[in-house]
Amino acid sequence: MQISIDSHSGFCFGVTRAINAAEQELRHGALFCLGDIVHNGQEVARLEALGLQTIDNDDLRSLPPHSRVLLRAHGEPPSTYWIARQRGIEIIDATCPVVKTLQDSIRACYEAHKNDEPLPPQIVIYGKPGHAEVIGLQGQTNNTALVLESPDQIDRLDFTRPIYLFSQTTKSVEGFNALVEAIKAQCTMHNAQLAPFEYHDTICRNVANRVAHLRAFAQSNDIVLFVGGAKSSNAKVLYEKCVEANPDTIFISSPDDIDKEILARCQAVGRVGICGATSTPQWLMERISERLSAS
Ligand code: SF4
């Protein structure tokens, strides 16, 4: 069995930056993180062993003044900053700069158009409802933005009103383009020349640029172990790309997921590739490689 780890997989710079911030701040005392710092249970457990305490929004409301709370790369809605100010909580803001720019763009669009007459605008986010980043983006519009997951849902839009479309950073470019084409077709059908449709491809290229490489990596191996957290949107997108390139791709989250059947499948072939998402730590892929080598 020849095992290789994809050199392009692993944390993106936004996640690396947030984790570095957590490690740095933990040296100065107690630190809370609002939500899982990364959608990878193994990495969360490693940081919790160093002292990081993961909290939810209810916990935030009951923290004592001067508590220190790290905001992860996904970003937060304005209400989180407001609560922190009210309670005298110190925020360590590790929002990814790419997400921050997107939040600012959506807020600027909302502020510029919220009072437009006679056609009130619709701000639309292509993303996963309830995802932390999407909640932060909706917050920029006073929670008025619509969230669409696929072109099948465009009947929720009013094509006689202006539409301003943005994307969650980790969605797929193909999916975004399909949604744009579906909306354009409906605008034409509704003869909606007076109601503009503006779209902004705000997908992070740290994710999108990995796809071509990941496809090539998947094709160059007989079997692929894709390592990702069950809650990671980015892992879902990249795993699907791997499966398209090599149907012999298996999603796992930890070395413990390598059962007898997976092991037998790996041993039956020559080349085993290990890759992962922008939320997958390098050390975890290495542990999986070690587990395979030791079997
Ligand atoms: S995927 Fe892109 S936007 Fe998301 S945290 Fe990483 S660098 Fe930032």
Side-chain angles (χ1 to χ4, degrees), residues 7-8 13 28 35 48 55 65 91-92 104 116 120 123 147 180 199 228 237 248 293:
S7 59
H8 288 63
F13 96 93
H28 304 298
E48 287 182 346
I55 56 167
I91 289 288
I92 291 133
D104 291 346
D116 284 359
I123 294 182
V147 181
V180 167
Y199 54 94
V237 169
D248 256 342
S293 303

Side-chain angles (χ1 to χ4, degrees), residues 5-283:
I5 298 177
D6 176 27
S7 59
H8 288 63
S9 288
F11 290 157
C12 60
F13 96 93
V15 171
T16 301
R17 189 172 166 271
I19 287 171
N20 287 346
E23 288 177 337
Q24 172 82 19
E25 293 296 332
L26 279 166
R27 295 192 194 114
H28 304 298
L31 183 67
F32 300 92
C33 181
L34 186 55
D36 288 342
I37 188 163
V38 59
H39 284 159
N40 186 283
Q42 312 284 313
E43 180 64 5
V44 171
R46 185 186 75 83
L47 288 164
E48 287 182 346
L50 295 177
L52 186 67
Q53 298 174 66
T54 305
I55 56 167
D56 61 20
N57 280 294
D58 289 340
D59 298 327
L60 181 72
R61 288 185 174 82
S62 54
L63 285 181
H66 309 300
S67 300
R68 298 184 313 137
V69 175
L70 183 129
L71 305 184
R72 56 193 172 171
H74 291 316
E76 285 292 322
S79 56
T80 299
Y81 295 85
W82 184 84
I83 292 165
R85 269 197 307 277
Q86 295 300 305
R87 297 203 56 81
I89 289 168
E90 183 187 339
I91 289 288
I92 291 133
D93 196 346
T95 303
C96 173
V98 178
V99 175
K100 197 79 186 159
T101 302
L102 173 55
Q103 288 183 341
D104 291 346
S105 301
I106 291 178
R107 190 167 58 252
C109 179
Y110 172 70
E111 292 298 336
H113 297 289
K114 66 181 179 189
N115 297 320
D116 284 359
E117 298 277 353
L119 299 170
Q122 298 163 99
I123 294 182
V124 181
I125 297 163
Y126 171 51
K128 185 176 173 194
H131 186 282
E133 181 189 321
V134 172
I135 291 170
L137 300 179
Q138 282 182 290
Q140 310 305 319
T141 67
N142 209 11
N143 294 321
T144 58
L146 284 168
V147 181
L148 298 187
E149 240 179 325
S150 79
D152 304 343
Q153 298 174 330
I154 60 169
D155 55 2
R156 291 172 58 202
L157 300 178
D158 176 352
F159 295 98
T160 65
R161 286 168 49 197
I163 297 171
Y164 301 94
L165 174 67
F166 297 85
S167 178
Q168 180 184 343
T169 56
T170 47
K171 294 297 279 181
S172 84
V173 174
E174 289 96 331
F176 180 77
N177 290 340
L179 182 58
V180 167
E181 291 309 316
I183 295 174
K184 275 185 186 169
Q186 285 296 319
C187 288
T188 307
M189 263 174 63
H190 288 77
N191 200 19
Q193 296 96 335
L194 294 177
F197 168 41
E198 269 183 34
Y199 54 94
H200 304 268
D201 174 354
T202 50
I203 292 164
C204 174
R205 267 36 193 180
N206 275 284
V207 180
N209 289 347
R210 287 186 183 200
V211 172
H213 176 83
L214 204 59
R215 278 205 179 104
F217 178 81
Q219 278 167 351
S220 68
N221 283 284
D222 299 314
I223 192 164
V224 176
L225 299 184
F226 186 96
V227 188
K231 287 192 256 176
S232 167
S233 245
N234 167 243
K236 189 166 175 278
V237 169
L238 294 181
Y239 165 69
E240 283 163 6
K241 300 298 170 199
C242 270
V243 172
E244 282 166 21
N246 183 342
D248 256 342
T249 298
I250 304 169
F251 191 103
I252 60 172
S253 294
S254 83
D256 296 338
D257 292 343
I258 302 175
D259 58 17
K260 279 186 187 159
E261 189 201 324
I262 293 176
L263 191 57
R265 283 174 67 185
C266 291
Q267 285 168 336
V269 296
R271 296 162 304 172
V272 179
I274 299 170
C275 57
T278 56
S279 52
T280 306
Q282 178 74 22
W283 63 262

